[in-house]
Amino acid sequence: MLFDLHNDFPTRFLNADYCRFFKAEQKITAAIWTSEFATDAESTVEAVTQRLMASGNIPVAIEDIGFLACGERFRQFDFSKYFYCSLTWNYNTAFAGGALDDGRLTSLGKSAIQAIENSGCCVDLAHLNRKSFFDVLDCAKNILCSHTGFNNHPRSLNDMQIKALVERKAVIGLCAVRAFVGANSAEQFADVIDDFVQKYGCDSLAFGTDFNGSDDIPDDINDYDKLLNVRDILIRRGYGREAVNKIFFENANTLYSKEK
């Protein structure tokens, strides 16, 4: 089984049959990437959300709620429909600073976090710059980092950030994007997993592939069937089924299954 914390398929395939992405053994979070909506983001998000929810038990998330800052629309927005929401993408919003920018968490951002958490939704720390990351960590309770890597890319987490999340028992989704993980093959991707587990254990690690959000993904892990082969690599290296199941499914599913 596999639980993917972040897949951008709703925004890549707005007119496609969403159900074709699902198999019985997979739970795929439909992350609605609002940065691709030039105008009228709120109504587009609502329409996509309704369609996804009509398709079944699909975890739905919003990547970048910056569109809700105007008129402080976030105060009336129904966050309870969503698994998680992030305050920004790679650039500053009225809420916080993005990974490629220098902003900080704002007073409006703190209010947005309160609104998100009051609804039972999680706050996603992906795409925040380092300063905003720790600002949010200081004031948010229900957190995760949906899709990231562990190298020195601005979109990746450094050791201090990882340790802070592990201490909070927060789930971290490992991205499949080369630039964020430095892996060019399934074997090297398994190396990244192994390095994390040796340092921090296996209770926080999950997957947030960013499939359909990037084309910079190695050919031998660029779909779910191929990614599942990484399990076999880890098992050959001596990983037990319990550890593998935590990484591939249980850590993410436990977070998703928490009662709102």
Side-chain angles (χ1 to χ4, degrees), residues 33-252:
W33 182 20
T34 66
S35 303
E36 290 200 336
F37 303 147
T39 59
D40 205 12
E42 188 169 354
S43 64
T44 305
V45 167
E46 181 61 29
V48 174
T49 299
Q50 288 181 2
R51 186 172 174 185
L52 287 165
M53 289 185 165
S55 298
N57 184 28
I58 300 172
V60 184
I62 301 177
E63 185 174 33
D64 186 1
I65 63 164
F67 68 97
L68 293 172
C70 183
E72 299 190 3
R73 286 287 302 137
F74 70 90
R75 298 188 188 277
Q76 291 79 42
F77 190 77
D78 184 6
F79 290 106
S80 66
K81 300 176 182 177
Y82 301 96
F83 178 13
Y84 64 77
C85 292
S86 64
L87 300 176
T88 184
W89 185 57
N90 281 335
Y91 303 99
N92 295 344
T93 66
F95 299 126
L100 303 184
D101 225 326
D102 59 358
R104 299 291 295 264
L105 178 67
T106 66
S107 59
L108 203 65
K110 292 178 181 179
S111 296
I113 289 171
Q114 186 175 28
I116 291 168
E117 294 196 318
N118 284 346
S119 72
C121 181
C122 292
V123 179
D124 182 15
L125 280 69
H127 283 287
L128 293 170
N129 62 37
R130 307 271 193 256
K131 291 179 180 178
S132 283
F133 174 96
F134 286 105
D135 289 343
V136 173
L137 200 66
D138 284 342
C139 66
K141 297 177 181 178
N142 303 317
I143 57 171
L144 79 159
C145 189
S146 65
H147 60 304
T148 189
F150 309 133
N151 62 11
N152 59 2
H153 191 281
R155 270 285 288 111
S156 296
L157 301 178
N158 62 24
D159 285 341
M160 187 178 299
Q161 290 172 294
I162 296 170
K163 288 176 183 176
L165 290 171
V166 171
E167 287 174 0
R168 290 276 298 270
K169 302 187 187 304
V171 175
I172 303 170
L174 179 61
C175 200
V177 178
R178 284 188 181 94
F180 306 159
V181 295
N184 294 305
S185 66
E187 288 284 348
Q188 291 180 2
F189 193 68
D191 290 341
V192 176
I193 295 170
D194 189 46
D195 184 63
F196 182 98
V197 172
Q198 297 307 316
K199 292 178 180 177
Y200 308 106
C202 61
D203 291 336
S204 290
L205 189 60
F207 290 107
T209 64
D210 209 15
F211 286 165
N212 300 306
S214 174
D215 296 321
D216 184 29
I217 296 175
D219 291 341
D220 61 351
I221 56 170
N222 64 2
D223 66 38
Y224 290 111
D225 289 336
K226 294 175 184 175
L227 186 64
L228 287 170
N229 290 332
V230 176
R231 290 185 307 189
D232 298 332
I233 295 173
L234 293 174
I235 290 169
R236 286 200 303 270
R237 294 185 181 188
Y239 276 70
R241 287 286 180 181
E242 182 179 358
V244 169
N245 288 342
K246 282 184 176 182
I247 296 166
F248 278 79
F249 186 81
E250 290 175 8
N251 291 337

